[in-house]
Amino acid sequence: MSSPVYAYLTSVARYFKSSLLKREDLDSLLAAKDLRELVEVLRDKGIVENVQISSAEQLLLQVKKRAINLLNSLRNLAHNSLVVKKALDIYVALLNADEIESVVSYLVYKERGARVTLDANRLQLLAGYSDAMDSVQSLLQAISKDYPRIAEAISFAVGNKGADLNLVNGLLEAHLFSSLYKLVTSLRGDWQAMLKRILCGYMDYYSMALAYTLRRSDLEGCTLRQDAVRNVASSPQLLVDVIKGSEWGKLVKATTPLEALAEMKAVVRRNARKASYQAFEGDPFSPAGSIAVAELIRLDYQDLVAIITGIDARLKREKIAEKLSFELV
């Protein structure tokens, strides 16, 4: 890929980055006393449209719609770079992992003869494929051309016969991050190191999560040695000690496995945000900026979900802040 193409994509990524959340935005967002005040703040910042919003669900749909539109716009502008387009395809899937998991669970239960319903009005990414939702296989056939990486991830998740359906979402995300990491590390260039810093923590987190929940050791970590992953898969009680002994464990205070995993994921997300910002400090003639801004769009969406649901549930500011990818003092 020529340098002028990457220089153009980097300038586009910088433009998108300018419209995303900043550290100073968090003060006004977290200061909102209720959903009504939060909606006003989000409108002022141009995050949601000037439409009537009366529930957290409506607000969440608006925020997700914005994130999807940003990613799709970035993806459409990246048509001259195959590696960036592939990476953005994966980020579109990651952003819609909850919707994909919901559809897959519905289809699996339907195939088992259960009486289940699916609210098609809540679908965004897969809305155009509702006619193909008779079975997992029919959905895979329908989306394989437009979203091959989503089809691969679904096959990976559902193909694990020992997995509880509640774990499908985690399996989807694990496979998608693994695909993204392999894509990044398969190419040459100094920019690889920038993107590995963004993705490395996710690979370690999902290798631990799958080892603990499914006793699987086939997903390799990044800084974690494979024998550590195998040890957790065979002896789940070692999980907390392995996490605390890792690069990500310095801030993990939990003493139970699930709490330790949750704290590890929070640390990993904050690292990913920091590393994404740093990616813009390097060579503009690389895919790093485009992939970094895609990660920031996803992190923004997740943070806004945490803020919206937290304020709607009247959680204290510090409880909401613990879930964010921003480091707040």
Side-chain angles (χ1 to χ4, degrees), residues 224-269:
L224 286 172
R225 295 171 58 89
Q226 196 60 20
D227 59 352
V229 179
R230 286 193 291 267
N231 287 342
V232 172
S234 59
S235 303
Q237 68 273 15
L238 297 176
L239 176 72
V240 176
D241 289 338
V242 171
I243 289 178
K244 288 190 175 183
S246 72
E247 179 180 335
W248 320 103
K250 299 180 182 66
L251 299 176
V252 174
K253 306 300 182 186
T255 57
T256 63
L258 293 181
E259 289 178 346
L261 278 171
E263 288 185 18
M264 179 185 180
K265 190 172 186 179
V267 172
V268 164
R269 292 180 67 248

Side-chain angles (χ1 to χ4, degrees), residues 31-315:
K33 295 183 179 62
D34 53 31
L35 201 62
R36 181 186 60 79
E37 284 191 14
L38 180 60
V39 169
E40 292 303 317
V41 175
L42 291 171
R43 281 189 183 132
D44 290 343
K45 296 185 179 299
I47 294 174
V48 298
E49 299 174 1
N50 191 24
V51 296
Q52 187 65 35
I53 297 173
S54 59
S55 69
E57 184 177 6
Q58 289 177 326
L59 186 54
L60 289 169
L61 287 173
Q62 279 273 323
V63 167
K64 186 172 186 180
K65 180 181 177 182
R66 173 181 182 265
I68 291 172
N69 287 342
L70 285 171
L71 273 181
N72 282 334
S73 296
L74 187 62
R75 180 176 177 268
N76 291 337
L77 291 169
H79 62 275
N80 285 331
S81 171
L82 183 59
V83 62
V84 173
K85 188 174 182 299
K86 283 183 177 179
L88 293 178
D89 283 346
I90 295 173
Y91 269 106
V92 169
L94 283 167
L95 191 66
N96 290 278
D98 55 342
E99 177 183 320
I100 298 167
E101 186 271 341
S102 177
V103 169
V104 170
S105 296
Y106 160 76
L107 292 175
V108 170
Y109 280 122
K110 186 177 181 179
E111 289 175 357
R112 292 176 180 175
R115 293 185 178 181
V116 289
T117 59
L118 179 68
D119 186 357
N121 293 325
R122 300 184 64 179
L123 300 181
Q124 296 193 48
L125 180 72
L126 300 177
Y129 302 94
S130 57
D131 290 342
M133 292 183 187
D134 292 325
S135 65
V136 173
Q137 192 58 41
S138 62
L139 178 63
L140 289 175
Q141 291 174 350
I143 68 172
S144 59
K145 181 178 180 181
D146 296 330
Y147 298 106
R149 274 152 287 281
I150 294 179
E152 291 171 5
I154 291 174
S155 296
F156 173 82
V158 179
N160 188 304
K161 301 301 183 183
D164 187 286
L165 280 176
N166 291 329
L167 301 175
V168 166
N169 198 19
L171 287 165
L172 281 164
E173 291 185 10
H175 181 79
L176 290 167
F177 270 115
S178 178
S179 298
L180 186 58
Y181 190 74
K182 288 175 182 176
L183 174 66
V184 166
T185 55
S186 68
L187 302 171
R188 296 179 180 178
D190 294 338
W191 52 268
Q192 251 194 55
M194 303 177 194
L195 294 177
K196 285 178 71 174
R197 282 197 291 271
I198 296 173
L199 301 174
C200 191
Y202 291 119
M203 294 304 298
D204 284 342
Y205 167 77
Y206 282 109
S207 69
M208 286 290 96
L210 294 192
Y212 178 75
T213 57
L214 298 180
R215 312 295 188 263
R216 291 179 56 157
S217 59
D218 52 319
L219 185 67
E220 293 188 15
C222 177
T223 66
L224 286 172
R225 295 171 58 89
Q226 196 60 20
D227 59 352
V229 179
R230 286 193 291 267
N231 287 342
V232 172
S234 59
S235 303
Q237 68 273 15
L238 297 176
L239 176 72
V240 176
D241 289 338
V242 171
I243 289 178
K244 288 190 175 183
S246 72
E247 179 180 335
W248 320 103
K250 299 180 182 66
L251 299 176
V252 174
K253 306 300 182 186
T255 57
T256 63
L258 293 181
E259 289 178 346
L261 278 171
E263 288 185 18
M264 179 185 180
K265 190 172 186 179
V267 172
V268 164
R269 292 180 67 248
R270 286 169 190 151
N271 173 79
R273 180 174 285 279
K274 182 179 179 180
S276 295
Y277 291 145
Q278 292 172 342
F280 285 91
E281 299 171 4
D283 184 359
F285 304 114
S286 79
S290 300
I291 298 174
V293 83
E295 173 66 14
L296 289 173
I297 290 170
R298 193 181 73 92
L299 289 171
D300 270 14
Y301 168 67
Q302 292 178 334
D303 286 347
L304 287 170
V305 169
I307 291 170
I308 292 166
T309 55
I311 288 178
D312 189 50
R314 300 188 181 280
L315 296 182

